[in-house]
Amino acid sequence: GNSVTQMEGPVTLSEEAFLTINCTYTATGYPSLFWYVQYPGEGLQLLLKATKADDKGSNKGFEATYRKETTSFHLEKGSVQVSDSAVYFCALSVDSGGSNYKLTFGKGTLLTVNP
Amino acid sequence: GAGVSQTPSNKVTEKGKYVELRCDPISGHTALYWYRQSLGQGPEFLIYFQGTGAADDSGLPNDRFFAVRPEGSVSTLKIQRTERGDSAVYLCASSLGQGLQETQYFGPGTRLLVL
């Protein structure tokens, strides 16, 4: 089946620190990969995505590269801000017989950035 | 514009009772999804609607769970004979169409507690 494993939190960083949240996956087909973010009191929002190997998704200073050889999609940001404090979810979707809408999520990683 | 809204935001009920959870998708979005997020876990797919019909209900855990979308807009998730294990956050998402290029927009969720 399909599954996503992401690093356990919580992660606590100081402002301007470098962030990495690891994500690896297993998939029965060729997946598209996503990072979603959930800010306090808000719904899940798509942060970035990549649909094929070696693609790099980027948004708001965050980046993640689709690595097929290591089945990974690690999230990085060079300098975090207090406003980046949120829960981050790695997810995948596999195009299988037309059912490419199902998102399979990891457990989420809570990030807290202190001033 | 308005995002996906869900009501109620919180629901407390007693074991054995019936509950209804409502989702108002973004206007014009034909695809609607329900997910369930248990404590410490990522969201898990429940059901997908394209228009008025449930195109995929493979994620519903058992026949106590049912969802409708009679006019292709608002959807209601219905849970009969609730059990303590049903306690979770129920998330609704909508997208303009169906497919990997279509971003799913999530609502803030309904937090259900079964006592």
Side-chain angles (χ1 to χ4, degrees), chain A residues 89 98 100-103 105-106, chain B residues 37 42-43 56 58 98 100 104:
Chain A
F89 291 91
N100 54 8
Y101 43 80
K102 288 184 189 179
L103 290 167
F105 288 89
Chain B
Q37 185 174 11
D56 182 350
S58 61
Q98 179 260 313
L100 290 173
Q104 294 185 27

Side-chain angles (χ1 to χ4, degrees), chain A residues 25-40:
Chain A
Y25 66 88
T26 59
T28 54
Y30 199 114
S32 291
L33 302 173
F34 307 83
W35 277 99
Y36 276 81
V37 59
Q38 186 169 32
Y39 298 103

Side-chain angles (χ1 to χ4, degrees), chain B residues 11-78:
Chain B
K11 176 72 176 176
V12 181
T13 190
E14 294 179 344
K15 180 175 178 297
K17 299 289 190 183
Y18 168 84
V19 297
E20 290 189 351
L21 312 179
R22 177 187 168 107
C23 172
D24 281 83
I26 293 172
S27 178
H29 280 195
T30 62
L32 185 145
Y33 318 80
W34 284 97
Y35 292 82
R36 178 169 71 171
Q37 185 174 11
S38 300
L39 192 62
Q41 305 295 316
E44 294 179 313
F45 170 82
L46 295 177
I47 187 169
Y48 155 63
F49 286 89
Q50 181 60 46
T52 59
D56 182 350
D57 63 359
S58 61
L60 294 177
N62 51 61
D63 61 5
R64 295 187 298 105
F65 288 75
F66 189 72
V68 296
R69 194 185 185 200
E71 297 178 359
S73 179
V74 170
S75 176
T76 305
L77 179 65
K78 309 180 180 197

Side-chain angles (χ1 to χ4, degrees), chain A residues 42-100:
Chain A
E42 299 184 17
L44 283 164
Q45 303 174 23
L46 178 65
L47 180 60
L48 54 85
K49 69 180 183 183
T51 58
K52 60 183 189 295
D54 300 324
D55 270 2
K56 178 184 284 187
S58 61
N59 185 26
K60 299 183 180 181
F62 291 89
E63 292 183 340
T65 301
Y66 188 142
R67 300 287 187 203
K68 191 165 184 278
E69 63 277 13
T70 55
T71 62
S72 65
F73 193 54
H74 305 321
L75 183 68
E76 296 183 337
K77 186 173 185 182
S79 176
V80 293
Q81 305 301 312
V82 173
S83 57
D84 293 327
S85 298
V87 182
Y88 292 81
F89 291 91
C90 186
L92 66 82
S93 177
V94 177
D95 195 343
S96 172
S99 62
N100 54 8

